[in-house]
Amino acid sequence: MQLLEHRLQGGKDLQEIIMSNIVTEIENEIKGLKLKAQKENVGTVTEVGDGIARIEGLSDVQASELVEFESGVTGLALNLESYNVGAVIFGDNTSVKQGDSVKTTGKILQVPVGDAIIGRVVNALGEPIDGKGKIASSVNYPVEKIAPGVITRQSVSVPLQTGIKSIDALIPIGRGQRELIIGDRNTGKTTIAIDTIINQKDVICIYVAIGQKTSKIAQIVAKLESVGAMKHTIVVAATAADPAPMQYIAPYAGTAIGEYFLDQGKDALIIYDDLSKHANAYRQMSLLLRRPSGREAYPGDVFYLHSRLLERSARLNSEYGGGSLTALPVIETQAGDISAYIPTNVISITDGQIFLETDLFFQGIRPAVNVGTSVSRVGGSAQTKAMKSVAGRLKLDLAQFRALAAFAQFSSDLDPETRNQIERGKRITEALKQPPFSPVPLAEQVATLWAVTNGHMDEIDVTKIQEFVAHFLSHLKIKYKKVMDEVADKKIIEDSSLKALEEAVAEALKTFKPGSESFKKSEAAQKVEKTEYSVSTKKDNKAKGKKK
Ligand SMILES: Nc1ncnc2c1ncn2[C@@H]1O[C@H](COP(=O)(O)OP(=O)(O)OP(=O)(O)O)[C@@H](O)[C@H]1O
Ligand SMILES: [Mg+2]
């Protein structure tokens, strides 16, 4: 080629031509070069331990900026002091050593969001931990974001059905609401949250596990998978074994994932299980960062920690897409003490609370919801008409029952009216019981509560109420399916449906034979007996399969 040119140009020196070519090439390169000045601020680790690094020389770092350590591990600059910066380390903190260099990145913490993340289990940084490979998502959302303003919001009016009779009837939750689940250890808090996830059809659920045992999280994921609820669920897990910064960031990461769906105009539900452990992680982190401690050794901004998190749940108005993010934070109390620092904080931030009590749990009243002290401040306007028509009576009956319950032991000396009220109350309490992981559809809830509050179960022995409910519902499902579908669709009880219900309950009472084998064998009865998580690992399943 060059020889050919050489000939064409009439014998110019070959070397000269090559040189000129190189020069023009270099010239072109220089012309095309776009130089951008980039300032990189590099500092040195002076102290490291317990997941916290102290860095000198990072004079230009911003608060909550991501920093990168020499080993590639990232951290978050939290304390900006005169001579040094305190940063928390995400991931393997043993790889960070004294004397290592650290550089600023100019970025704030983000997590991948989008539809691709549905059905996955991720850590607090949005990285998959379920062994199902990479998450194909091109959108990232910042972990911390300012909550939607007043102008963009609208009030709660669409129900979020939990499938739990006592909650849907007495403490209704609306989409966009924040309802606290609070109670001592082992009172069924997580079960309520999981039941609610299982009951959702068009709502995307995010379960944020904070400071829980890995085995417990694995059980929950297995349960959700076995009932097909993982299809609309994302699990964000920061286990007890994860460093405190990961536990601290997990709920914010989960919320960012939820906000993506909120922005898409969809309905999402987020569960923070639990915020007591979150506050503990924050306390640990803050003390290590040498922030001054206040009440119960929590740092002064622990209220802001939770309020800025829960404020991000909202129902947007139609101008802003009409999406919603409902939050169910969980708080664990010690010996029922709701006046401790963290419980009072979160109670004041949320729109109501579901109180679970150990006493009720051990009396066999499960879910152990204390319907007297639990409230939902805004959910009433989101309750369906069908449910409203039975809930009013239910509330009244239960309130009277509570007032009279103290006299229950003297029942023989009581006047008939009081005795009837006590008997009715007992039956209602019985009808509200429900085994774990079996949410009840709206129409069935309405039919059950209608029957019991209207005295149709007064003649049945208290111990046989659950059996009768099962019998009544199966009768309805077989013979009155149309009526049930109508209640489910229209969400009101029409006069014709009411008539049908009356017929159905009369028939069910006639055909009811307590102690029938079919009930004992039924799933419902077995679930009542078996209170443990009925989740088994894959190995167990295989073993069972072999036995069969
Ligand atoms: N409605 C129910 N009926 C029967 N058993 C239940 C019911 N709800 C929960 N349980 C059982 O009670 C136990 C504790 O439930 P769960 O783990 O939900 O409680 P928790 O308050 O979240 O506990 P922790 O404080 O450990 O987080 C479980 O074994 C569960 O199966
Ligand atoms: Mg729990």
Side-chain angles (χ1 to χ4, degrees), residues 184-209:
D184 279 5
R185 288 221 55 192
N186 257 311
T187 45
K189 303 182 293 297
T190 303
T191 307
I192 288 188
I194 301 301
D195 273 352
T196 310
I197 292 181
I198 295 174
N199 197 42
Q200 301 312 311
K201 288 194 181 66
D202 55 346
V203 178
I204 294 152
C205 305
I206 302 139
Y207 179 78
V208 185

Side-chain angles (χ1 to χ4, degrees), residues 51 70 150 156 166 177 277 283 304 344 346 358 363 417 469 472 500 516 525-526:
E70 203 175 312
V150 179
V156 164
S166 46
Q177 188 179 341
K277 294 197 188 78
R283 172 168 63 182
Y304 178 54
T344 42
V346 185
T358 313
Q363 280 167 31
E417 200 182 325
V469 170
F472 175 47
S516 76
Q526 281 177 5

Side-chain angles (χ1 to χ4, degrees), residues 86-145:
V88 294
I89 305 165
F90 292 126
D92 180 17
N93 57 42
T94 52
S95 67
V96 178
K97 287 180 212 67
Q98 199 177 3
D100 278 4
S101 66
V102 193
K103 61 177 186 204
T104 55
T105 59
K107 284 189 233 153
I108 52 163
L109 192 58
Q110 295 183 331
V111 285
V113 297
D115 291 334
I117 207 166
I118 298 175
R120 302 298 301 266
V121 184
V122 296
N123 68 9
L125 302 177
E127 297 159 349
I129 50 170
D130 52 3
K132 289 185 186 163
K134 262 186 131 184
I135 295 171
S137 158
S138 53
V139 193
N140 286 305
Y141 261 39
V143 160
E144 292 264 10
K145 202 174 162 199

Side-chain angles (χ1 to χ4, degrees), residues 212-232:
Q212 293 189 36
K213 280 187 285 184
T214 316
S215 62
K216 190 105 188 233
I217 301 173
Q219 278 183 347
I220 290 170
V221 174
K223 181 76 220 172
L224 289 174
E225 234 151 41
S226 71
V227 296
M230 258 333 257
K231 278 190 211 121
H232 60 256

Side-chain angles (χ1 to χ4, degrees), residues 161-174:
Q161 303 283 351
T162 62
I164 298 164
K165 285 176 272 187
S166 46
I167 296 176
D168 286 346
L170 300 162
I171 324 151
I173 300 170

